[in-house]
Structures are given as C-alpha cells and as structure tokens.
Amino acid sequence: AQSVTQPDIHITVSEGASLELRCNYSYGATPYLFWYVQSPGQGLQLLLKYFSGDTLVQGIKGFEAEFKRSQSSFNLRKPSVHWSDAAEYFCAVLLSGGGADGLTFGKGTHLIIQP
Amino acid sequence: GAGVSQSPRYKVAKRGQDVALRCDPISGHVSLFWYQQALGQGPEFLTYFQNEAQLDKSGLPSDRFFAERPEGSVSTLKIQRTQQEDSAVYLCASSLGRRSYEQYFGPGTRLTVT
C-alpha cells in the first residue's frame, strides 16, 4: 500500500530564513504528488502538485517543490518565510494508475515562525 | 458559491446519538470526497462519489458510517450511534472530474462525541 512520511512533526524557522519540509513516499510507480497547507480552523489549500515533466514545480505563495525519483522524495521549499506561513503542511499522494481515488496524506509538519 | 462549504462547522453529540454532516461542493464539480482528520493527524480518505454514484467507500471505518449524494451535488455523511473514537474533523472535497486530481477542500466539521 502506498504511504507518505513526513519525518518532521514540528519545524521552527526564523522569519526571513529559508525553509525545507521533507516528504517521502512509498509506492512502486511514480504517484501524483501534492502539498497542502492548513491554517487553524481552515480547510486544506493546495500549494502545488506534480504529475509528470519538469521535476521542479512552482506553487502559490512563493513555494516550490522538487521531485526526486531516486530518493522517493518531494520536498517543499521556500527561500524566505513570512510570519503568515505559520501553519500545518501536508504532503499527499494519489495512485497514478487508477485504483484508490482518495489522497493519502502524511501526518503533517507544524511550521512555527520565530520573529 | 465560490468554494466548498460544510455545515455545521461544529457539532457536539452525546455517545449513541446519530449525526448528519452536510457538504456543498463547488458548482459543477463531478467528484466529491469525504475525509476524516483525527487530532494531530493527516486526513484519511473515507469515501468518493462521482455524481450520485458512490464509487469507493473503502475508507469508511464501520457500518455506522453512511454517505449519500442523491442528486449529484450536495452530500451528507451520516454517523449512527456515535462513539468517542468518531471525534474528529470531517473534511469534504470536490474536484472537476474523477481524474482531475486537484481537490478543493471545505473548512470541515469538527465533531466532538461526549
């Protein structure tokens, strides 16, 4: 079965510093990959997605992610974080060949921004 | 509306009560999904509709959980005889088509079973 691992439960970053959130997936083929952000009391907002092609994808709010097949990773990055980026971040996968229709999510990384 | 809406936003139920959670997807979206998010966890898939057809209910945790979408738009998730372990946020998402992949999420309904 497919699975998603986000090894960092909490990450603290100073405002203006760079950010990298890790995501590893376990699946035989390349799945479709997503990063979502969830602010308190809010639903999930899609930051970016990867289906195929260029392995570096750009998203909203200045985020980007890089797909690395050899490492089964899809890490999220941002060059300079803002206080408003404090939230919960979820990596998710979807089987690319049909099968399950729902997304499989990691447990999330809680991002804290220090002033 | 502009996005997916869910009601109620908060629901407190006594153990053993039945609850019904409503989801209004984005107009014209064919696919609708329900997820359960326990405290401190990522969302977990419950069930999927394409129009009014429930094509996947593999994630429903027990036969106390039932979902419907009779006219292919609004959906209701019903939980019978609620248990404390049912306490969670229930998220609804919709997408344009079955394999459109990009799912748009509602704000969720926080269910607390006492």
Side-chain angles (χ1 to χ4, degrees):
Chain A
Q2 60 187 15
S3 66
V4 180
T5 302
Q6 293 181 248
D8 303 304
I9 299 174
H10 300 276
I11 281 192
T12 300
V13 177
S14 297
E15 190 168 15
S18 64
L19 169 71
E20 182 169 33
L21 302 182
R22 295 184 289 165
C23 172
N24 293 93
Y25 65 90
S26 172
Y27 179 55
T30 302
Y32 298 125
L33 297 157
F34 306 80
W35 274 99
Y36 281 86
V37 61
Q38 186 177 40
S39 298
Q42 304 295 313
L44 293 151
Q45 182 182 21
L46 180 66
L47 288 175
L48 45 76
K49 59 187 182 287
Y50 174 77
F51 295 159
S52 65
D54 191 348
T55 56
L56 184 64
V57 293
Q58 303 295 322
I60 62 171
K61 305 185 179 187
F63 286 93
E64 67 177 26
E66 184 172 15
F67 168 61
K68 292 186 177 179
R69 184 189 305 276
S70 62
Q71 298 175 20
S72 297
S73 69
F74 188 57
N75 294 349
L76 181 71
R77 301 194 295 246
K78 186 169 185 178
S80 176
V81 297
H82 186 260
W83 65 267
S84 60
D85 293 325
E88 193 81 20
Y89 290 80
F90 293 95
C91 181
V93 304
L94 180 68
L95 287 174
S96 57
D101 297 288
L103 294 165
T104 298
F105 286 86
K107 293 188 178 208
T109 296
H110 184 61
L111 176 63
I112 301 165
I113 306 296
Q114 279 183 336
Chain B
V4 178
S5 60
Q6 293 185 245
S7 61
R9 292 292 311 274
Y10 303 91
K11 177 69 179 177
V12 179
K14 290 190 166 114
R15 190 171 56 184
Q17 283 185 332
D18 298 348
V19 298
L21 312 179
R22 177 187 168 105
C23 172
D24 282 87
I26 293 172
S27 178
H29 277 196
V30 168
S31 299
L32 186 144
F33 305 80
W34 283 98
Y35 293 84
Q36 180 190 58
Q37 185 176 20
L39 190 64
Q41 302 294 315
E44 292 192 358
F45 170 76
L46 294 177
T47 188
Y48 159 70
F49 289 86
Q50 184 177 354
N51 295 308
E52 69 279 2
Q54 188 175 20
L55 299 186
D56 185 348
K57 52 182 180 180
S58 61
L60 295 176
S62 77
D63 58 8
R64 296 186 296 103
F65 286 71
F66 171 76
E68 59 183 9
R69 194 186 185 198
E71 297 179 357
S73 56
V74 171
S75 176
T76 304
L77 176 68
K78 297 179 179 177
I79 310 173
Q80 298 177 324
R81 305 181 303 281
T82 53
Q83 304 295 314
Q84 282 194 315
E85 62 263 28
D86 300 335
S87 295
V89 175
Y90 291 85
L91 296 166
C92 176
S94 68
S95 70
L96 200 54
R98 179 173 188 179
R99 302 307 284 182
S100 295
Y101 316 122
E102 187 162 336
Q103 298 181 21
Y104 296 85
F105 283 79
T109 294
R110 180 177 297 277
L111 173 65
T112 303
V113 181
T114 61

